[in-house]
Amino acid sequence: MGLGLGYAVVSTASFSLSGPLAHGLMAAGWSSAAATVVRVLTAGLVLLPIALVQLRGRWNLLRRNARLLAYYGLFAVAGVQLTYFNAVSHLEVAVALLIQNTAPIAVTGWLWSRHRQRPPGMTLVGAALGLAGLPLVVGLHSGAAVGWVGIGWALASMLGGVAFILLSSRTDTALPGTVLATSGLLIGGLTLLAAGIVGIVPLRATANTIAFQDFTVPWWPPALVLGTVTAALAYVSGIAATRLLGPRLAAFAALLEVLTGLVFAWYLLGETPRPIQLLGGLLILLGVVIVRRGETLRAV
């Protein structure tokens, strides 16, 4: 469990950096689809040599798990990233993150209804605390402007996050985590690229300078970090965390992305968190700790 939580922290911190970086690219004229394509295809190419080594010629693994790989690429990669980037173009990064991270509710409900995995009482208490922090960080009671279009995109991204957690937690496939991540990233990226070529989604990129709060950079460093850190590292460590922790605890551990997202948005975009948002963040952190304790007792 300690190793799984370590992977979860790496994954959530990496994922949360994507919002501010994508926000900077889109402010410079990039479309959300173009930012997503660059992000996931770069990550897939970075991970491809490692995945080939792990496969060691066992191509039958890809054939046996073709449906899983397709679902992962379309929903857990392309869908979740495109909808999230659309969300941050209409909402503050912290708001989009919080709505996206209501995924633990859906994951817990799915496991309860589908697999009869009723969560223990302590898990429910931690879930209630963590979810109580959501509206505080979103700022619904502190005068933050919330656009309904952005909320819709963020909710769609939440469903993609549910797909990521449930598909990543499968341990019955014999697929190494890096192979699953690489295949999903390449499938998702190529699908979005094809959709852009035929005009279904707009693919627009510029060479304009990217402006953050206190500095400017060329376009390529944010794009490179989007691919290597916020996708390649984030997906591989996220799969490892989910397989070690199980889907329910991994879903609640992913709420830590909100806290790191607040920090990155504060530093890069100047979106200073309000005191009530910090209180909500503390509730989320406390909720994750209690859920971890509840899941530990359930395992014992």
Side-chain angles (χ1 to χ4, degrees):
M1 183 165 292
L3 182 60
L5 288 173
Y7 281 130
V9 170
V10 172
S11 178
T12 54
S14 303
F15 271 127
S16 66
L17 182 58
S18 67
L21 293 179
H23 190 282
L25 287 172
M26 289 186 287
W30 286 57
S31 66
S32 58
T36 306
V37 167
V38 169
R39 181 189 184 201
V40 298
L41 285 184
T42 299
L45 293 175
V46 167
L47 293 176
L48 183 58
I50 304 173
L52 292 176
V53 170
Q54 288 190 345
L55 271 177
R56 292 190 290 272
R58 295 175 295 168
W59 305 111
N60 60 313
L61 284 178
L62 299 180
R63 290 193 297 270
R64 289 206 310 263
N65 296 285
R67 181 178 298 180
L68 169 64
L69 297 176
Y71 287 161
Y72 195 87
L74 294 177
F75 298 109
V77 176
V80 70
Q81 298 309 320
L82 181 60
T83 52
Y84 175 61
F85 286 171
N86 279 329
V88 298
S89 68
H90 292 87
L91 299 172
E92 290 185 1
V93 170
V95 175
L97 270 177
L98 261 295
I99 296 174
Q100 184 193 51
N101 279 280
T102 56
I105 305 173
V107 171
T108 300
W110 171 263
L111 295 174
W112 195 344
S113 62
R114 177 75 173 179
H115 300 288
R116 299 295 186 268
Q117 294 183 17
R118 184 183 185 279
M122 188 171 289
T123 297
L124 294 176
V125 170
L129 280 175
L131 297 174
L134 293 178
L136 300 182
V137 182
V138 169
L140 293 180
H141 302 294
S142 57
V146 179
W148 292 108
V149 173
I151 288 177
W153 284 117
L155 287 173
S157 183
M158 179 271 288
L159 294 177
V162 171
F164 167 75
I165 292 167
L166 295 178
L167 294 175
S168 296
S169 65
R170 291 189 54 178
T171 57
D172 58 341
T173 64
L175 271 177
T178 303
V179 175
L180 175 60
T182 304
S183 302
L185 288 164
L186 292 176
I187 291 171
L190 292 174
T191 300
L192 278 176
L193 182 61
I197 291 174
V198 300
I200 297 177
V201 295
L203 287 180
R204 183 179 64 257
T206 71
N208 296 336
T209 300
I210 310 300
F212 294 105
Q213 182 184 9
D214 297 320
F215 60 93
T216 58
V217 293
W219 67 269
W220 61 267
L224 184 62
V225 175
L226 267 179
T228 55
V229 176
T230 77
L233 178 62
Y235 272 95
V236 170
S237 56
I239 291 171
T242 306
R243 289 182 173 180
L244 289 170
L245 299 176
R248 184 160 51 223
L249 179 52
F252 282 97
L255 290 177
L256 297 173
E257 182 179 347
V258 175
L259 305 182
T260 53
L262 280 174
V263 174
F264 286 132
W266 187 359
Y267 175 69
L268 293 175
L269 305 178
E271 296 179 0
T272 305
R274 292 171 288 274
I276 196 169
Q277 289 181 298
L278 297 177
L279 174 61
L282 289 176
L283 286 176
I284 290 170
L285 182 59
L286 179 60
V288 171
V289 171
I290 295 177
V291 169
R292 175 193 179 278
R293 179 61 177 166
E295 291 297 293
T296 303
L297 292 176
R298 184 184 68 84
V300 173

